[in-house]
Amino acid sequence: MPWLILLLPLASAALIHLGLKRNGTLAAWLATASALATLVLTYLTPSSADPVKFSWATFEGLDITIGLIRDELAMNMMLIVTGVGTLVHLFSLGYMKDDEAKGRYFCGLSLFMFSMTGIVLADNFIMMFIFWELVGLSSYLLIGHWFTKESAADAAKKAFCVNRIGDWGFMVGILMVWAMTGALSFSQMALPEGVPAIMLGVALLCVFCGAVGKSAQAPLHVWLPDAMEGPTPVSALIHAATMVAAGVYMMARFFFSIDGGEHAFSHLAELFPAFSFQTIAWVGGVTSLLAALMATQQNDIKKVLAYSTLSQLGYMVLAVGLLKPDVAMFHLYTHAWFKALLFLGSGAVIYACHHEQDIWKMGGLFKKMPITAITFALGTLALAGFPLTAGFFSKEQILDVAFKQDKALFALVVVVAFLTTFYMGRLFFITFFGKPRTDHAEKAKEVGPLMWLPLALLAIPSILAGYPFVAEAISPLYHHHPFKLFSAAFLASILAFAGGIALAFVLYFNKDEDALANQPVAKLFANKFYVDEFYAWFVKWFINFKASIIAFLDDFIIGGLLVGGFSRITATLGALFNRAQSGSLQTYSYLMAVGIVAVIFITVFM
């Protein structure tokens, strides 16, 4: 079964690319059937601690295998990938029905499902890295699906290039881990004694670079918001539940491997230096805060959700840095359902409003799209951590862990919780309440069953997935950490939610313009702290600086001293010898006599 789970999406992609690309409808249904089959197989496959594998290549001291791991961590992640993936395929049947390149689109979806499945089931770092790069290729193809649109093509290139930076560090980290442990297989990985702590810390941070790129953590977060140029179902699949979560999953897999299956991650602090964990935690915390601030002033409905994803990924990375990868995976699990719901809900809104994405050009959609509005509201509540929703349970655990280990990070997380409620309240009030602000909003109507059915199905785990009887049934890893009703974490969470929704209501309910838009700080948030502009300036400066150095080396060193110098020496010597060729027999005789005397002198006296 694990091999079928891996190879079915590949077979679907191959069939579509080689023969069915022009028949978009058949390609769409084949890809959807493949996704559904992998979901069923994932559900039927029992978890096991023993991977299935075979040897691929053997060198001295290195055995590279192709293996599939089937433990609780992998099979739960596969449930997320295949569950969300199947619903995204179903939604795409309606959303992409009129697209001219529908066959190519569904081919890309199948290729992505194959690549993501490979990451999740890989039993060693080499295999994971191969599929890691395939996910990068798949996302490039899907983000740039509408490649004739310049912004989409640029976004695809940006995502591909930025991820290569993180992947370079990831590759270095893999090599360092292999050098220290002598193993690449997760089941055989154990840190030997005597390795300098600084080396372990550097190796951990290099591995973390892969997560910084793929999970869009600062400073490599800039690709994710631009990736919203792809079709909205792609945003739901890649940039909400699966691809961007791959970095968090990879770090959890690494920690689970080093931990040896004991699930007592606190002893990892004895193996790795404190600065490595603190760096990971603060990168997640800072990313979470910056992204939440940026989201407060975005007007593109998909970009608000994109920055929300960045912020929630920061929560997960923070939990990993606090040595709680199980808590991070729990939030990944709950977040996948309600964030996919929100992205697909935004897709339904965009589709109904004739592909309008500006929330200030919507309004009054609650009455016109009741199913979409209600499911979107449930997703919003779950994301904001409203009590008894799925997001509440997982966020509460992160708050509790932060409160116990680092009060500064706890304060940061509470601020982010307040901002999350605020910007999601802003988005919901502007989009679904008030009066329609354009003709497209006025004429909007509820989407068809192919599009609202996935929303209804996703709304169920968005509410129930965090409850102990559901979470622990999915995976024993998600043991429910009980929290006290009047604990600091619980009270801070409730106050953050109440404050955020109240402020959003006052500023944006039934309003036709943003009261904060002209404030200097709001402009800073709207322009994303000018990070993209800084990167553009830096790249331009670096290219010009490099060009000036190359020009100096080429003109002065190579042209002036080396090539030009030798040419001038040759010309000078030629001129000297040219003068010796005077055409005078008397001079030639004199020079010959001098030469004979010199030869006799050297022969006799030297």
Side-chain angles (χ1 to χ4, degrees):
M1 282 189 180
W3 293 108
L4 282 175
I5 294 172
L6 177 67
L7 296 177
L8 268 177
L10 177 63
S12 170
L15 286 173
I16 294 172
H17 182 71
L18 296 176
L20 301 178
K21 191 184 296 185
R22 295 183 179 179
N23 190 332
T25 302
L26 185 57
W29 284 104
L30 175 62
T32 305
S34 170
L36 179 60
T38 57
L39 172 60
V40 174
L41 289 172
T42 298
Y43 181 78
L44 295 177
T45 301
S47 61
S48 171
D50 299 322
V52 290
K53 59 184 178 180
F54 63 88
S55 181
W56 180 31
T58 302
F59 306 95
E60 185 176 353
L62 177 62
D63 183 26
I64 302 176
T65 62
I66 298 295
L68 306 180
I69 199 166
R70 299 172 292 165
D71 62 3
E72 294 287 348
L73 182 64
M75 297 314 296
N76 175 255
M77 187 67 184
M78 276 306 304
L79 185 64
I80 297 171
V81 172
T82 57
V84 173
T86 300
L87 294 176
V88 166
H89 277 75
L90 184 62
F91 185 89
S92 297
L93 292 175
Y95 191 87
M96 301 294 289
K97 65 178 182 179
D98 297 323
D99 193 270
E100 295 180 355
K102 184 163 61 173
R104 175 164 54 82
Y105 169 81
F106 279 95
C107 178
L109 283 186
S110 292
L111 181 62
F112 174 83
M113 293 289 288
F114 166 68
S115 306
M116 193 65 207
T117 301
I119 288 179
V120 175
L121 298 181
D123 85 320
N124 61 82
F125 259 137
I126 293 293
M127 182 178 171
M128 177 178 279
F129 187 77
I130 292 172
F131 283 98
W132 195 269
E133 296 304 305
L134 278 174
V135 164
L137 170 64
S138 305
S139 63
Y140 170 80
L141 295 174
L142 289 170
I143 294 169
H145 174 70
W146 292 316
F147 59 86
T148 55
K149 186 181 176 183
E150 186 176 356
S151 58
D154 290 342
K157 289 184 287 187
K158 185 175 183 179
F160 192 84
C161 293
V162 171
N163 271 277
R164 298 292 75 73
I165 299 172
D167 293 352
W168 180 84
F170 185 30
M171 181 173 60
V172 172
I174 291 173
L175 294 175
M176 292 184 70
V177 169
W178 173 55
M180 289 185 293
T181 65
L184 290 169
S185 175
F186 297 123
S187 60
Q188 301 172 356
M189 201 170 290
L191 293 177
E193 296 181 0
V195 178
I198 187 68
M199 293 299 295
L200 291 173
V202 172
L204 177 60
L205 291 179
C206 285
V207 171
F208 177 59
C209 283
V212 171
K214 202 68 77 182
S215 291
Q217 297 297 287
L220 300 183
H221 64 283
V222 292
W223 68 269
L224 182 60
D226 288 18
M228 297 302 107
E229 290 292 339
T232 302
V234 169
S235 303
L237 178 63
I238 298 181
H239 309 120
T242 53
M243 173 184 166
V244 292
V248 177
Y249 172 80
M250 180 270 291
M251 293 300 297
R253 169 61 66 196
F254 182 55
F255 280 176
F256 272 79
S257 301
I258 297 297
D259 174 67
E262 298 178 6
H263 298 174
F265 303 103
S266 58
H267 83 275
L268 292 176
E270 302 171 3
L271 299 175
F272 294 93
F275 78 86
S276 57
F277 293 121
Q278 291 172 354
T279 300
I280 293 173
W282 277 99
V283 165
V286 170
T287 301
S288 186
L289 178 60
L290 291 178
L293 291 171
M294 295 176 196
T296 60
Q297 286 299 305
Q298 300 302 313
N299 296 326
D300 185 316
I301 187 171
K302 288 174 63 177
K303 287 196 174 182
V304 175
L305 297 177
Y307 283 109
S308 171
T309 300
L310 284 177
S311 188
Q312 298 302 306
L313 288 168
Y315 267 18
M316 301 172 205
V317 171
L318 183 148
V320 170
L322 295 178
L323 299 179
K324 291 294 183 180
D326 52 340
V327 173
M329 286 301 298
F330 184 33
H331 192 55
L332 186 157
Y333 155 71
T334 60
H335 173 264
W337 306 111
F338 57 73
K339 186 50 66 67
L341 168 60
L342 290 170
F343 264 112
L344 292 183
S346 72
V349 170
I350 293 168
Y351 186 87
C353 293
H354 298 270
H355 296 280
E356 178 58 63
Q357 296 184 200
D358 189 338
I359 58 177
W360 290 105
K361 295 181 180 179
M362 299 175 185
L365 296 181
F366 199 101
K367 294 180 179 179
K368 298 178 180 297
M369 305 177 67
I371 298 176
T372 299
I374 292 171
T375 54
F376 201 95
L378 293 175
T380 298
L381 291 174
L383 175 58
F386 185 75
L388 304 182
T389 62
F392 167 76
F393 292 105
S394 56
K395 187 192 72 173
E396 207 66 30
Q397 291 191 20
I398 295 175
L399 283 167
D400 186 58
V401 169
F403 179 76
K404 291 176 180 178
Q405 296 193 29
D406 192 320
K407 295 299 189 293
L409 282 174
F410 171 73
L412 185 149
V413 171
V414 172
V415 171
V416 172
F418 165 79
L419 292 172
T420 301
T421 307
F422 171 71
Y423 67 68
M424 287 306 300
R426 171 182 181 268
L427 170 63
F428 190 79
F429 292 144
I430 294 172
T431 303
F432 292 100
F433 290 99
K435 60 183 180 181
R437 302 180 188 90
T438 62
D439 289 340
H440 291 325
E442 182 68 45
K443 297 176 182 177
K445 60 181 180 179
E446 188 61 82
V447 294
L450 278 178
M451 296 174 70
W452 64 251
L453 179 60
L455 303 182
L457 293 175
L458 284 168
I460 297 172
S462 296
I463 301 300
L464 299 179
Y467 284 84
F469 66 89
V470 176
E472 293 176 11
I474 296 296
S475 174
L477 296 175
Y478 302 147
H479 53 280
H480 197 71
H481 297 276
F483 56 88
K484 296 180 180 179
L485 188 60
F486 297 105
S487 65
F490 177 76
L491 292 176
S493 176
I494 295 300
L495 290 174
F497 178 86
I501 199 67
L503 184 60
F505 183 85
V506 171
L507 293 177
Y508 297 109
F509 187 77
N510 284 341
K511 298 293 191 299
D512 291 329
E513 60 182 15
D514 194 339
L516 302 178
N518 295 322
Q519 300 299 320
V521 175
K523 291 182 178 180
L524 181 66
F525 297 162
N527 288 285
K528 302 164 287 187
F529 292 94
Y530 298 98
V531 174
D532 288 89
E533 287 78 4
F534 170 76
Y535 283 168
W537 169 84
F538 179 78
V539 170
K540 182 179 179 180
W541 172 86
F542 180 75
I543 291 174
N544 290 336
F545 177 71
K546 183 174 69 173
S548 63
I549 292 177
I550 293 174
F552 172 77
L553 292 174
D554 185 58
D555 292 343
F556 183 73
I557 304 297
I558 297 175
L561 296 181
L562 296 179
V563 177
F566 283 120
S567 66
R568 285 191 289 273
I569 291 172
T570 303
T572 302
L573 292 175
L576 292 175
F577 286 113
N578 185 52
R579 291 184 179 182
Q581 301 296 325
S582 63
S584 172
L585 291 176
Q586 184 177 1
T587 302
Y588 294 161
S589 300
Y590 172 75
L591 291 175
M592 183 179 290
V594 171
I596 291 172
V597 171
V599 169
I600 295 173
F601 178 82
I602 292 171
T603 303
V604 175
F605 298 103
M606 298 297 287

